[in-house]
Each structure stands twice: as C-alpha cells, then as structure tokens.
C-alpha cells in the first residue's frame, strides 16, 4: 500500500495529453503494514446554515435509486455484531470490532427472526452504483439520459445476495493463474463518534493480524494487507488461482479470510499488541509533511466531519480502549449491507458467484447488532445513521462517500446535489422519530468539542461583492519553502453517457494545455515558482471533485509566484485554448486510449482493480479499454473548440469569478499558504491572511492576453527530405566493434540477449526484445558530450 503526501509525495504521470495526479497521505490514510493509504483529493459542497428537514416519505413513495430494504428502519436500540459458526466471535481481516469474552452471545447461525433490528442499519443506496443490476438496466435503456449511454464492460459481473452483501467480479488474465479479492467496508474515520477517534484504524490492525484463516494463506504465494481512510476500510488478498501443492482452488481460502473479517474475534492480547503498533505508527507519521496535509485538509473541509476525523485518531483514546470498545465498533459497521467485495483475476465467473454465496450468504446485520457491547453509544450511533441517510453526500450520491456535506463552488445553474436528492425522495427520514436528524444531531461537527484541535472555524474574506475566500496560513520552522494551495470543491459528475464523457474529455484537454503552459513558465531564466500544478480530480474519500492549484516558491517571492500562477489560470478561463493546443492534446488523448486498448488482457489485476474501484465509487460506467478507445475516438472526432473552451471557462470559474463584475462560480474558494517561520516567529515578507487574499484578488483582476497559437509540425523532416537523404547516403549495417576485448558482433543476424551493431555512418545501435508490454516500446538516443564538450571544443556556454 503506497503512501505519499499532497505536497511532497505526489506521483505525477504526464503524457502529452494525459495529466494524472494521485494524492495520498501516510498518516491521514493509515494502513497496517508499514503504514499505507490511498490517495487524497479534497471534496466539495454546501452552505453553512442548517438544512431544512427533508420531506418525510410515505411507505408508497420509493427513492429514485435502488435502496437496500432487507430490514425496515430500526428504532434506536443498539449497534450490530456477528460471530462464527460455533457461536464465538471470529478474528479476521475485516473484523474491526469483535471479542471473544464477556457474556454469552447469540450464535451467528441462530435465527435472525428472534433478534432485534440492527440499530445503525438504514435503507440506503446500493454501493454498486451504476453496476447495481437495476441501475445498469436503466442506464443501458437510456432512460433519463440526454445522450446515448456508454457501454458497460461485457465481462463484468455484479450482484447482491439476499442479505444485502454486494459483489463485483471482473475476469482478467494478467498475470494468468492469479486473482485479487478486496473487501471494502464503507466505514472509516469519518464515521467515528466522539469517543471513537482512531478506532477504525485500530480495529483494522486487530482484524488483519488476528485472522486465523488469513494465516492459512501464508506459504501459498499470496499477499494480504489492509488500510483505513476517511470513508472506508479495505482488506485484500492477492493469491494464485490454485494452491502450489494439491492443486486446490485458492478462492475459497481467500474469501474465508475475508469473511473472517466480518466475524472477527478480538483477543485482548491482540488488542494490546496492535495498540502499540498503532501508537508507534502515530509517532512515525508525525512529520512536517503530515502536519501540512492536516492543515490543508482541515481548512478545505472545515464545514464537515473530515476536518475533525483524521484516521490516525487521538492518542489518549487509543490508549484507553478495551475489548468491548473494539467489538462495538466492529458490530456496528461490519454488516453485509455496508460492504462490497471486488474480485479480479483468472477465475471462472460461475465459480466466483457460487463461492461468494457460500462464504458470505449466512451473514446478517441483526446477528451483528446482537453483540454490541456498549449500550451507551447506541443512541448517538443511531442518530448518526439517521442523519447520514437524511442529509449527506453518502446517501445523496454514493455510499462510498463519507457522511459529509460540502461548500461547493459551482457555476450558475448547477443544482445542489443534496437538494436534488431530497426532491427525488432519495434522502430518508426515519418516520419513527418526530424530529429532523440534521438539525438535532451535529453530524458535521460544527460545534466545539473537548478534544478538538484549536482552529478558527469558517473565517472568510470577501474580496468583492459576493466573492469569498477562506484563507489559512500555516507557519513552521521546519518548512523550507513557501507553498500555496487554492481549492474549489465541486460535485462529482457521473460519466454514464456520451454527453458527460465528452465534457470529461474537454476538461482533460484544458488541464493538459494549462499544465504545459505552467511548465513552460517554470523553465524561464528566473521563474517565480519552483513547482506548479493545476488539476481537478474526483475523490471518493472526500465525497467530491476538487479543483486545485498547488505551487511552491521561494519565501521572499510568494506574492509574485501567486500572481503569476493564478493569472495563467485566469488566462485559460477567459480566452480558452488555441486550435493548435486542442489538436495536439486531443491527439495525445486518443494515442493514450489506443495504447491502453492495445494492451488488451495484458493490464494487470492491480491496475484493473484500482480502475474498477474508482469507477464504481464515483458512479461512472465501467468500460473495457477497447470500448473506451472506441468511445474516445468517436467523441474526439466531433468535439469542437467551443466545447473545450466552455469546459475551460467552467474549470477556471472560481478564479475568474473573483474579479468584480465577471461571472463565475458561486461559493467559497479555499486558500492555504504554508511558509517558514523565523526565529522571532514571523513569516517572510509579513505574510498575513489579508495580504494573501489581496494577492489572489490582484491576480484575478489582472488583464490577460490570449496565448499566441503555435503551429507545431507533425514532422521535422518531410518525406521528400528523408527520401533524398537515403538516396545520397544509403544506410547499411556494420558489425559492432569494441575496445574492451569483446568479439565483434555480426551485422547480418539477431543475437541474444542483445543485438549490438553499427550503422554505416558510425551510429551505434543496441536492441533488446521484451514482450512484457504489448504494443509498446522504449527508444533512447544518447549524444555524448554535453556541457563538458562545450569547454573542450571551444563552443559558447549553453550551445
């Protein structure tokens, strides 16, 4: 599991048309082994006032999206829990909360009819989103869509068991004879109550290390791990399809280990051992990069729970928990309706579906709820469950999202996601309670609490009438450079039809064009900034899309760097891209899609699974690489410059809108500056929040000229020139010769492992065949000399 920081550890993959950024935080998303996490990306929504109560639904009025109705909305009674076949709680990968001691508990194999409803289970949208069978059928029919639907991957299989357990399987043969299974539990640190901060992470450790059935995978060539985030906890096993000895199927063994997670035992000795591991991890991640990440995220998400629920938790609470605490969390959240199983690999679909049914079909929420050990937490856990389905992005858009709202920054005409879900009947009020859960329960944690960090909440500056910036400055003596981060949070747009797909392509063209412009500006003789990147990413962990500008500069030049980078974004928003830029980056997009399609079934299980999880989480249509290439080719063939520039205007609207009199986004722009602190405690150049906002406002008001279009030739040597050169200097192979005693290599045949020879003009050539990546190759041309040759040969510096 990889971990990296938004500022210092981001991974970048740039092709001519593809700009991809993955952001993660070693301590915010905490995993078991070294310390791992997924990527981070901020989210967006909503005003600060208390939402009005959604209309109560009658029994006849159903929500617009499918809702799990395995059990009626329960009264506030207790949290849930489960056990193994013998009546004793089990220990396993996903077993975040369970125990083996205490009073006798009902067997998991007992009759669910005799048990009370689970106190935290509510009817909710299915986590399969577009792959939920009823949703898929609706999308494929085109009902409610304004353009033709995108095709689904022909081989992907998904379903829901009678107990609400959801699964998805994708056949894949790279590498052959192996598979991966990931169990995603839709509860993370954002779901923790006030006395539970950090318990999702601790339970992940306990369940992962304590599973006896996971230990059976040792020595089989399998890999297992787990990680915790704001919005989920994930356990996985990557295994061979068959055992090395005995040639038995490995899938039942892997799913046994993952089911063990759902029926976890929590031995006190294991809890103590993992408690020390978590506390050690807390010390290891306490770096300046982590502190910067916390400052950024707590400012960006100050209107919701994410600002106060980092996965690492609170040390004093971690030291205090006992078996019942862990078990209460586990039995509350590890329910069959609250998980999703992904399987990707070289397996038979029918065998996968049968094994899933055999291993997970017996689980019920009611049996989990019967083993909640701390009844005092049941009322608040029940209130949190009510508020989640009544007024958060988790119920409004995707069950993968954390239970939050956002202060979105959107252009005029874009409807609020929560309002739209409320009008459609998707938000649910528990009819057994005569009160609005959103106004009664502080789900967004806007009130002060005893263990809160000392932060000033929701301070905003108005830089023009109706134009607001939420500024924050973080000063620390360990920082070396000035960094600046400007954010706008927007709703995730599900990509399910041709129209939404075309808009996503237009945005990618704009982002690629702007990034190249920024890179060129950073390569000048005296650049204002040392690093700059602009991007917009969908983030399931934060429940929104985040448009971000990330920039670093010398501390003394912070104002100049802000004005230069922000003005470049404003230029794109006002004037758009040039015809030449559109042609180049659209062509590169198509090339990327073509190369991906050419790999066919050579795409690894891990890459396929990561793409599948991201696509499902955000409600997009999951397509094969071949389908994606065909759709990309069809969309780009008719995509117009006007569409691309419209996307540019929308993408940059939070910047252009800060200029008084110009149309732009409605909502709050978030600005965070991190800077070194001198010995006397002052920041360089008297950096204050007022000066920060003033610098942003100046950049947004600056006059900008359109970029001059540059015609880039498709080739630097024409076909006629090439033909003439070949005629004048006929190419021929010569044998390879060496000065170290190596025998000469022949000029007329291929040798292994390398073919080494010369061209008749003296150029040396080395070739190695590698079939690992289909339809791909790597070419490198090296010209000896460099700056040293300039001095030796008497050429001017830089020539």
């Amino acid at each position: 599991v990889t971990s990296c920081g938004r500022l210092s550890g981001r991974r970048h993959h740039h092709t001519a048309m593809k700009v991809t950024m993955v952001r993660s935080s070693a301590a915010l998303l905490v995993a078991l082994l070294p310390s791992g996490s997924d990527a981070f990306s901020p989210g967006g929504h909503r005003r600060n006032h208390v939402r009005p109560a959604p209309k109560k639904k009658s029994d006849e009025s159903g929500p617009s999206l499918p809702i799990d109705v395995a059990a009626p909305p329960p009264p506030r009674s207790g949290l849930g829990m489960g056990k193994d076949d013998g009546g004793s709680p089990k220990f396993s990968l996903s077993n975040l909360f369970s125990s083996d001691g205490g009073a006798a508990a009902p067997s998991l194999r007992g009759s669910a009819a005799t048990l009370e409803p689970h106190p935290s289970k509510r009817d909710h949208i299915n986590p399969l989103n577009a792959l939920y069978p009823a949703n898929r059928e609706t999308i494929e029919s085109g009902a409610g869509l304004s353009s033709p639907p995108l095709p689904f991957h022909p081989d992907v299989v998904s379903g829901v068991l009678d107990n609400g357990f959801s699964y998805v399987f994708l056949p894949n043969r790279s590498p052959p004879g192996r598979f991966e299974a990931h169990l995603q539990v839709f509860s993370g640190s954002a779901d923790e109550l006030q006395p539970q901060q950090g318990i999702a992470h601790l339970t992940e450790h306990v369940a992962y290390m304590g599973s006896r059935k996971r230990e059976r995978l040792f020595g089989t060539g399998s890999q297992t791990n787990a990680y915790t985030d704001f919005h989920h906890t994930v356990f996985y096993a990557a295994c061979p399809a068959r055992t090395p000895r005995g040639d038995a199927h490995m899938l039942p063994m892997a799913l046994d280990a993952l089911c063990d997670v759902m029926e976890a035992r929590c031995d006190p000795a294991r809890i103590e051992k993992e408690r020390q591991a978590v506390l050690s991890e807390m010390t290891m991640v306490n770096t300046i990069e982590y502190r910067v990440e916390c400052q950024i995220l707590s400012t960006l998400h100050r209107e919701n729970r994410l600002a106060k629920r980092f996965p690492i938790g609170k040390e004093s609470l971690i030291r205090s928990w006992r078996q019942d605490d862990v078990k209460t969390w586990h039995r509350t959240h590890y329910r069959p309706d609250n998980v999703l199983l992904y399987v990707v690999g070289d397996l038979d679909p029918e065998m996968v579906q049968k094994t899933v049914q055999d291993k997970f079909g017996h689980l019920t929420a009611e049996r989990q709820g019967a083993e909640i050990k701390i009844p005092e937490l049941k009322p608040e856990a029940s209130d949190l469950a009510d508020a989640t389905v009544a007024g958060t992005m988790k119920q409004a858009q995707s069950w993968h999202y954390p239970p939050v709202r956002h202060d979105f920054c959107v252009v005029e005409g874009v409807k609020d996601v929560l309002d739209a879900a409320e009008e459609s009947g998707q938000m649910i009020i528990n009819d057994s309670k005569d009160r609005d859960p959103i106004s009664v329960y502080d789900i967004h944690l806007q009130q002060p609490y005893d263990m809160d960090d000392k932060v000033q909440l929701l301070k905003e500056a108005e830089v023009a009438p109706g134009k607001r910036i939420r500024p924050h400055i973080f000063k620390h003596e360990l920082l070396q450079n000035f960094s600046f981060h400007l954010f706008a949070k927007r709703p995730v747009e599900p990509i399910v039809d041709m129209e939404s797909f075309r808009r996503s392509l237009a945005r990618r063209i704009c982002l690629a064009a702007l990034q190249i412009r920024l890179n060129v500006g950073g390569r000048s003789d005296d650049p204002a900034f040392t690093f700059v990147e602009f991007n917009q990413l969908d983030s399931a962990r934060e429940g929104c899309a985040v448009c971000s500008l990330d920039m670093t500069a010398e501390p003394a030049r912070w104002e100049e760097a802000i004005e230069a980078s922000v003005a470049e974004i404003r230029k794109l928003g006002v004037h758009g891209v040039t015809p030449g830029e559109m042609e180049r980056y659209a062509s590169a997009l198509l090339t990327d899609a073509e190369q991906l399609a050419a790999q066919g079934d050579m795409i690894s299980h891990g890459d396929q699974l990561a793409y599948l999880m991201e696509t499902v989480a955000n409600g997009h249509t999951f397509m094969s690489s071949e389908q994606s290439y065909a759709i990309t080719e069809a969309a780009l063939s008719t995509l117009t410059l006007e569409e691309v520039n419209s996307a540019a205007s929308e993408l940059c609207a939070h910047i252009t809108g800060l200029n008084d009199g110009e149309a732009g986004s409605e909502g709050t722009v978030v600005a965070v500056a991190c800077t070194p602190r001198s010995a006397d405690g002052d920041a360089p150049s008297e950096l204050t929040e007022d000066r920060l906002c003033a610098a942003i406002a100046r950049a947004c008001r600056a006059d900008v000229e359109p970029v001059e279009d540059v015609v880039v030739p498709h080739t630097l040597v024409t076909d006629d020139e090439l033909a003439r050169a070949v005629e004048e200097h006929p190419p021929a192979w010569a044998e390879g010769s060496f000065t170290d005693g190596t025998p000469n290599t022949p000029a007329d045949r291929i040798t292994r492992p390398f073919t080494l020879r010369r061209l008749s003009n003296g150029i040396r050539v080395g070739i190695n065949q590698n079939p690992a990546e289909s339809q791909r190759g790597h070419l490198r041309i090296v010209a000896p000399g460099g700056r040293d040759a300039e001095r030796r040969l008497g050429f001017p510096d830089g020539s």
Side-chain angles (χ1 to χ4, degrees):
V1 179
T2 307
S3 62
C4 55
R6 180 193 304 280
L7 305 179
S8 62
R10 259 185 318 201
R11 296 174 291 174
H12 308 278
H13 174 64
H14 296 279
T15 62
M17 185 48 221
K18 180 177 176 185
V19 182
T20 307
M21 177 176 69
V22 178
R23 297 181 286 197
S24 19
S25 171
L28 303 178
L29 314 181
V30 196
L32 284 192
L33 285 183
S35 163
S37 76
D38 297 330
F40 255 94
S41 94
H45 183 110
R46 225 169 146 76
R47 303 169 294 278
N48 302 328
H49 60 73
V50 176
R51 292 181 47 78
K55 295 179 180 179
K56 293 189 177 182
K57 294 170 19 52
S58 67
D59 293 339
E60 292 77 23
S61 62
S64 59
L65 290 180
I67 286 182
D68 181 355
V69 290
R76 185 161 68 187
S77 53
L79 297 159
M81 170 169 189
K83 287 191 158 189
D84 66 9
D85 297 352
S88 300
K90 278 185 173 175
F91 202 38
S92 118
L93 292 179
S94 230
N95 292 26
L96 290 188
F97 286 83
S98 59
S99 69
D100 59 343
S107 168
L108 287 178
R109 298 293 186 181
S111 171
T114 64
L115 302 176
E116 295 182 358
H118 192 290
S120 290
K121 180 185 175 183
R122 302 292 184 269
D123 292 347
H124 60 78
I125 58 175
N126 188 278
L128 284 168
N129 289 331
L131 283 179
Y132 184 75
N135 288 351
R136 178 170 179 171
E137 183 178 345
T138 300
I139 293 171
E140 289 178 326
S141 70
L145 301 179
S146 57
S147 62
L150 298 178
F152 284 86
H153 194 299
D155 299 327
V156 69
V157 177
S158 59
V160 183
L161 303 184
D162 291 341
N163 60 1
F165 184 93
S166 301
Y167 65 90
V168 56
F169 169 61
L170 177 67
N172 194 60
R173 293 184 53 79
S174 182
R178 290 192 67 86
F179 70 91
E180 290 193 24
H182 289 226
L183 183 70
Q184 185 176 20
V185 182
F186 297 110
S187 294
S189 63
D191 300 274
E192 294 168 346
L193 305 179
Q194 190 68 9
Q196 293 179 325
Q197 296 179 66
I199 203 165
H201 178 213
L202 175 63
T203 306
E204 169 225 313
H205 271 253
V206 171
Y208 171 77
M209 297 302 295
S211 170
R212 308 284 172 79
K213 293 181 179 178
R214 184 187 68 86
E215 294 175 0
R216 297 175 190 171
L217 301 178
F218 296 172
T220 64
S222 301
Q223 296 176 329
T224 59
N225 208 338
Y227 53 92
T228 298
D229 201 342
F230 282 134
H231 63 311
H232 67 194
T233 303
V234 178
F235 304 84
Y236 69 84
C239 310
R242 291 183 174 273
T243 56
R245 296 178 295 275
D247 198 35
H249 287 294
M250 283 287 295
L251 180 65
M253 295 174 62
L255 296 193
D256 272 338
L258 295 180
C259 186
D260 208 20
V261 168
M262 300 292 293
E263 301 176 304
R265 293 171 44 150
C266 294
D267 296 321
R270 173 59 65 183
I271 292 175
E272 289 305 317
K273 185 174 183 179
E274 297 310 317
R275 188 198 318 276
Q276 298 309 311
V278 169
L279 292 172
S280 175
E281 213 171 276
M282 179 177 283
T283 302
M284 289 189 296
V285 301
N286 188 21
T287 63
I288 187 60
E289 291 80 13
Y290 172 70
R291 296 185 189 188
V292 167
E293 189 79 11
C294 289
Q295 293 290 323
I296 292 173
L297 288 170
S298 62
T299 304
L300 179 63
H301 298 298
R302 204 160 282 177
E303 74 274 16
N304 63 50
R305 297 177 68 85
L306 302 188
K308 298 182 180 182
R309 288 293 184 270
F310 291 105
I312 199 65
K314 302 292 185 182
E315 181 178 352
S316 61
L317 293 176
I318 294 170
R319 292 185 181 278
S320 70
W321 291 322
R322 297 295 178 260
Q323 189 177 39
D324 286 352
D325 300 284
V326 177
K327 197 165 197 176
T328 293
W329 168 266
H330 180 275
R331 297 321 199 233
T332 300
H333 297 281
Y334 283 63
R335 315 181 309 265
D337 68 290
N338 197 42
V339 297
L340 174 57
L341 175 70
Y342 297 87
V343 181
V344 173
D346 189 10
L347 300 170
D348 176 67
E350 291 187 4
M351 187 267 285
V352 171
Q353 290 179 284
K354 182 180 184 303
T355 308
V356 170
Q357 173 67 57
D358 292 345
K359 300 300 180 182
F360 296 97
H362 67 281
L363 301 172
T364 71
E366 292 75 21
R367 289 166 185 152
Q368 298 289 81
E371 292 196 358
I372 291 176
K373 295 298 183 180
I374 304 180
E376 302 83 49
L377 291 181
K378 290 182 180 181
E380 186 179 355
S382 183
D383 284 342
L384 174 60
D386 286 334
T388 295
V389 297
T392 69
M393 298 297 296
K394 191 178 183 79
Q395 175 68 10
Q397 192 164 16
S398 174
W399 199 247
H400 295 247
Y401 294 171
V404 297
R405 66 172 175 88
H406 293 291
D407 287 339
F408 283 138
C409 191
V410 295
V411 297
E412 186 177 358
V414 175
K415 191 161 189 175
D416 183 274
V417 177
L418 296 185
D419 288 341
E422 191 175 302
E423 291 175 6
S424 70
Q426 194 163 306
M427 307 310 256
I428 302 174
I429 289 291
N430 189 342
D431 290 330
S432 67
K433 298 179 180 180
D434 295 325
R435 55 188 178 133
D436 170 22
I438 298 297
S439 61
V440 171
Y441 180 65
D442 183 25
I443 187 172
H444 303 304
L445 303 181
Q446 296 304 288
Q447 301 300 317
Y449 296 93
D450 291 342
M451 304 193 73
D452 287 354
D453 294 326
K454 302 302 183 223
V455 293
Q456 186 173 7
L457 293 181
L458 299 173
K459 178 181 177 181
E460 296 181 357
E462 191 171 63
V463 297
K467 317 289 186 178
R468 302 186 306 278
I469 296 177
R470 182 190 303 166
H472 177 63
I473 297 174
F474 174 58
K475 306 173 187 178
H476 201 282
E477 56 272 11
L478 292 180
L479 291 172
Q480 301 295 317
N481 294 307
F482 169 84
S483 66
F484 175 67
H485 314 273
L486 193 68
F487 300 108
K489 299 198 285 187
R490 292 162 179 159
V492 172
E493 179 186 16
I495 302 172
V496 295
D497 60 3
M498 183 61 80
E499 183 178 333
S500 55
F501 188 80
R502 290 167 67 90
R503 283 194 295 269
S504 72
L505 290 180
R507 282 193 295 268
R508 292 172 65 187
I509 291 173
C510 296
L511 290 169
L514 179 58
Q515 190 60 51
I516 294 299
R517 293 181 188 179
L518 291 169
N519 290 347
V520 170
R523 289 199 298 264
S524 63
D525 292 338
D526 188 27
F529 40 74
T530 55
F531 166 82
V532 63
E533 182 172 67
F534 184 79
N535 213 333
Q536 178 166 306
L537 298 172
D538 295 342
S539 172
R541 68 179 42 82
E542 292 154 291
C544 61
V546 180
C547 187
S548 62
L549 167 67
D550 297 299
M551 178 267 292
T552 60
E554 293 296 327
R557 302 182 65 182
W558 68 269
E559 289 179 287
E560 179 186 358
I562 287 177
E563 293 179 18
S565 56
V566 172
E568 200 65 57
I569 300 171
R570 173 170 161 75
K571 185 184 299 183
L572 177 70
V574 173
H575 299 293
V577 303
T578 67
E581 286 176 321
M582 178 177 172
E583 179 185 1
R584 291 194 297 276
Y585 303 130
S587 175
L589 261 185
L590 186 61
T591 299
D592 284 346
E594 183 179 18
Q595 290 178 346
L596 192 63
Q599 293 185 44
D601 60 1
M602 298 289 288
I603 302 173
S604 70
H605 300 329
D607 288 344
Q608 288 277 31
L609 197 140
Y611 172 54
L612 176 63
M613 292 181 72
E614 178 187 358
T615 302
V616 171
N618 291 303
H620 306 321
T621 294
F622 180 70
M623 298 185 288
S624 69
S625 57
E626 294 85 355
Q627 290 171 321
S628 182
Y629 169 61
I631 294 297
T632 301
E633 185 177 36
L636 290 176
S637 66
T638 58
L639 192 67
T640 66
L641 183 62
E642 288 73 21
E643 289 178 274
V644 173
N645 285 338
S646 175
S649 176
E650 184 174 343
L651 198 61
C652 306
H654 61 296
I655 299 294
T656 57
L658 289 177
N659 187 20
D660 190 17
E662 287 193 27
S665 298
E666 297 179 358
T668 301
V669 175
V670 178
V672 181
C674 304
T675 188
R677 181 169 54 193
S678 60
D680 57 7
D682 292 332
S685 302
E686 298 178 354
L687 175 59
T688 64
E689 291 182 351
D690 289 340
R691 290 195 64 185
L692 178 65
C693 292
I696 297 170
R698 281 197 303 274
C700 293
R701 298 188 190 112
D703 292 331
V704 289
E705 298 295 328
V707 173
E708 181 181 352
D709 198 9
V710 177
V711 178
V712 179
H714 292 287
T715 177
L716 299 179
V717 181
T718 66
D719 290 343
D720 292 340
E721 290 173 321
L722 184 60
R724 202 160 45 246
V726 170
E727 184 178 355
E728 295 174 2
H729 307 282
W733 287 113
E735 63 182 11
S737 60
F738 305 88
T739 59
D740 62 354
T742 300
N744 289 356
T745 54
D748 57 352
R749 71 175 187 270
I750 301 295
T751 58
R752 302 295 186 194
F754 300 102
T755 297
L756 302 171
R757 59 176 71 160
R758 291 174 181 260
L759 285 168
S760 54
N761 59 6
I763 292 178
R764 292 166 289 180
V765 178
I767 301 174
N768 177 36
Q769 185 178 16
N770 185 351
E773 290 189 79
S774 174
Q775 301 297 313
R776 293 186 67 84
H778 179 75
L779 175 66
R780 183 182 185 194
I781 301 176
V782 180
R787 297 299 298 273
D788 177 67
E790 292 175 353
R791 291 186 287 272
R792 288 189 291 103
L793 301 177
F795 287 100
D797 286 348
S799 60

